[in-house]
Amino acid sequence: MATIHDEIDNWLAADLHGELSNNERSALHAHLVDCGACRKTHQEIKLMNKILEETFAQQRPDPAFEQRMLAG
C-alpha cells in the first residue's frame, strides 16, 4: 500500500488545489511535520505556484475566450 511519502507529489498537488478532504489534509500536514524532505518539497511547490500566479496574472485571457474556443 502506498503511503503519503510515496505519493507526495500527488498529495501536494491535491492540497494546493483544495482537493483533499479534511482527514487527508490533516494526514498530509502531520506527515509534513515529521518529514523534512517532503516539507521542503511542499515549500518549493508553494513558492513555484506563487511565482506562476504572479507572472501570469496579467496574461489571463478575457472571460469570453473559453466560449470562443468551444464554439470554434
Side-chain angles (χ1 to χ4, degrees):
M1 181 175 184
T3 64
I4 292 173
H5 186 81
D6 295 332
E7 297 186 13
I8 193 64
D9 291 331
N10 293 333
W11 280 80
L12 293 176
D15 184 48
L16 184 66
H17 297 289
E19 297 173 355
L20 295 178
S21 69
N22 289 336
N23 289 340
E24 290 170 329
R25 189 175 308 104
S26 293
L28 172 62
H29 289 270
H31 176 74
L32 294 175
V33 168
D34 293 334
C35 183
C38 290
R39 190 169 49 252
K40 182 180 178 203
T41 301
H42 181 242
Q43 292 301 319
E44 290 170 351
I45 288 174
K46 286 182 8 182
L47 178 60
M48 178 66 73
N49 188 62
K50 180 181 177 190
I51 291 169
L52 289 171
E53 284 182 351
E54 290 171 355
T55 301
F56 293 108
Q58 301 300 324
Q59 299 180 15
R60 292 185 183 191
D62 65 89
F65 175 75
E66 183 178 359
Q67 292 303 316
R68 288 194 311 270
M69 295 306 295
L70 291 172

